[in-house]
Coordinates of all heavy atoms in Angstrom, one line a residue:
E194 N 78.6 95.6 139.2 CA 78.9 94.1 139.0 C 80.4 93.9 138.8 O 81.1 93.0 139.4 CB 78.2 93.6 137.7 CG 76.7 93.5 138.0 CD 75.9 93.1 136.7 OE1 76.2 93.8 135.7 OE2 75.1 92.3 136.7
L195 N 81.1 94.9 138.0 CA 82.5 94.7 137.8 C 83.3 95.1 139.1 O 84.2 94.4 139.4 CB 83.1 95.6 136.6 CG 82.5 95.4 135.3 CD1 82.8 96.3 134.3 CD2 83.1 94.0 134.9
E196 N 82.8 96.0 139.9 CA 83.4 96.3 141.1 C 83.4 95.1 142.1 O 84.5 94.8 142.7 CB 82.6 97.5 141.8 CG 83.0 98.9 141.3 CD 82.3 100.0 142.1 OE1 81.2 99.8 142.3 OE2 83.0 100.9 142.5
E197 N 82.3 94.4 142.1 CA 82.2 93.2 142.9 C 83.1 92.0 142.5 O 83.8 91.5 143.3 CB 80.8 92.8 142.9 CG 80.6 91.6 143.9 CD 81.1 91.8 145.3 OE1 80.9 92.9 145.9 OE2 81.6 90.8 145.9
L198 N 83.2 91.9 141.1 CA 84.1 90.9 140.6 C 85.6 91.2 141.0 O 86.3 90.3 141.5 CB 84.1 90.8 139.1 CG 83.0 90.2 138.5 CD1 82.8 90.3 136.9 CD2 82.9 88.7 138.8
H199 N 85.9 92.5 140.9 CA 87.3 92.9 141.3 C 87.5 92.8 142.9 O 88.6 92.3 143.3 CB 87.6 94.3 141.0 CG 89.0 94.8 141.2 ND1 89.3 95.3 142.4 CD2 90.1 94.7 140.6 CE1 90.6 95.7 142.4 NE2 91.1 95.2 141.4
R200 N 86.6 93.2 143.6 CA 86.7 93.2 145.1 C 86.9 91.8 145.6 O 87.7 91.6 146.5 CB 85.4 93.8 145.8 CG 85.6 94.1 147.2 CD 84.3 94.7 147.8 NE 84.1 96.0 147.1 CZ 83.0 96.3 146.3 NH1 82.2 95.3 146.1 NH2 82.9 97.5 145.8
A201 N 86.2 90.8 145.0 CA 86.4 89.5 145.5 C 87.7 88.8 145.1 O 88.4 88.2 146.0 CB 85.2 88.6 144.9
A202 N 88.2 89.1 143.9 CA 89.5 88.6 143.5 C 90.6 89.3 144.3 O 91.5 88.7 144.7 CB 89.7 88.7 142.1
F203 N 90.5 90.6 144.5 CA 91.6 91.3 145.2 C 91.7 90.9 146.6 O 92.8 90.9 147.2 CB 91.4 92.8 144.9 CG 92.5 93.6 145.4 CD1 93.6 93.8 144.5 CD2 92.6 94.3 146.6 CE1 94.8 94.6 145.0 CE2 93.7 94.9 147.0 CZ 94.8 95.2 146.2
A204 N 90.5 90.6 147.2 CA 90.5 90.2 148.6 C 91.4 88.9 148.7 O 92.1 88.6 149.8 CB 89.1 90.0 149.1
V205 N 91.3 88.0 147.8 CA 92.0 86.7 147.8 C 93.6 87.0 147.7 O 94.3 86.5 148.5 CB 91.7 85.8 146.5 CG1 92.6 84.7 146.5 CG2 90.3 85.3 146.8
Y206 N 93.9 87.9 146.9 CA 95.3 88.3 146.7 C 95.8 89.0 148.0 O 96.9 88.7 148.5 CB 95.4 89.3 145.5 CG 96.7 90.1 145.5 CD1 97.9 89.6 145.1 CD2 96.7 91.5 145.7 CE1 99.1 90.2 145.1 CE2 97.9 92.2 145.7 CZ 99.0 91.6 145.3 OH 100.2 92.3 145.2
K207 N 95.0 89.9 148.6 CA 95.4 90.7 149.8 C 95.7 89.7 151.0 O 96.6 89.8 151.7 CB 94.4 91.7 150.1 CG 94.9 92.7 151.1 CD 93.9 93.8 151.3 CE 94.3 94.8 152.3 NZ 93.3 95.9 152.5
A208 N 94.8 88.7 151.1 CA 94.8 87.7 152.2 C 96.1 86.8 152.0 O 96.8 86.5 153.0 CB 93.5 86.9 152.2
A209 N 96.3 86.4 150.7 CA 97.5 85.6 150.5 C 98.8 86.3 150.7 O 99.8 85.6 151.1 CB 97.4 85.1 149.0
M210 N 98.8 87.6 150.6 CA 100.1 88.3 150.7 C 100.6 88.3 152.1 O 101.7 88.4 152.4 CB 99.8 89.9 150.3 CG 99.9 90.0 148.8 SD 101.6 90.0 148.1 CE 102.2 91.5 148.8
S211 N 99.7 88.0 153.0 CA 100.2 87.9 154.4 C 100.8 86.6 154.8 O 101.5 86.5 155.8 CB 99.0 88.1 155.4 OG 98.1 87.2 155.2
V212 N 100.7 85.6 153.9 CA 101.2 84.2 154.2 C 102.1 83.7 153.2 O 102.7 82.6 153.4 CB 100.2 83.3 154.5 CG1 99.4 83.8 155.8 CG2 99.2 83.1 153.3
M213 N 102.3 84.4 152.1 CA 103.1 83.9 150.9 C 103.7 85.0 150.2 O 103.3 86.1 150.2 CB 102.3 82.9 150.0 CG 101.2 83.5 149.3 SD 100.2 82.5 148.3 CE 99.4 81.4 149.6
P214 N 104.8 84.6 149.4 CA 105.5 85.6 148.6 C 104.5 86.3 147.5 O 103.4 85.7 147.1 CB 106.5 84.9 147.8 CG 106.8 83.7 148.6 CD 105.5 83.3 149.3
E215 N 104.9 87.4 147.0 CA 104.1 88.3 146.1 C 103.7 87.4 144.8 O 102.4 87.4 144.5 CB 104.9 89.5 145.6 CG 104.3 90.2 144.3 CD 103.1 91.1 144.7 OE1 102.9 91.3 145.9 OE2 102.5 91.5 143.8
V216 N 104.6 86.8 144.1 CA 104.2 86.0 143.0 C 103.2 84.9 143.2 O 102.3 84.7 142.5 CB 105.5 85.5 142.2 CG1 105.1 84.6 141.0 CG2 106.3 86.7 141.8
A217 N 103.4 84.2 144.3 CA 102.4 83.1 144.8 C 101.1 83.8 145.0 O 100.1 83.1 144.7 CB 103.1 82.4 145.9
A218 N 101.1 84.8 145.7 CA 99.8 85.5 146.0 C 99.0 85.8 144.8 O 97.8 85.6 144.7 CB 100.0 86.7 146.8
R219 N 99.7 86.3 143.7 CA 99.1 86.5 142.4 C 98.4 85.2 141.9 O 97.2 85.4 141.5 CB 100.0 87.1 141.4 CG 100.6 88.5 141.9 CD 101.7 88.8 140.8 NE 102.4 90.1 141.3 CZ 103.5 90.7 140.5 NH1 103.8 90.0 139.5 NH2 104.0 91.7 141.0
K220 N 99.1 84.2 142.0 CA 98.6 83.0 141.4 C 97.5 82.4 142.2 O 96.6 81.6 141.7 CB 99.7 81.9 141.3 CG 100.8 82.3 140.3 CD 102.0 81.3 140.4 CE 103.0 81.6 139.4 NZ 104.2 80.5 139.4

Side-chain angles (χ1 to χ4, degrees):
E194 294 173 309
L195 292 175
E196 279 184 315
E197 183 52 42
L198 284 174
H199 181 269
R200 191 178 297 114
F203 192 79
V205 170
Y206 165 72
K207 192 172 180 180
M210 279 286 289
S211 64
V212 295
M213 62 182 69
E215 167 77 14
V216 173
R219 296 174 184 178
K220 293 178 179 179

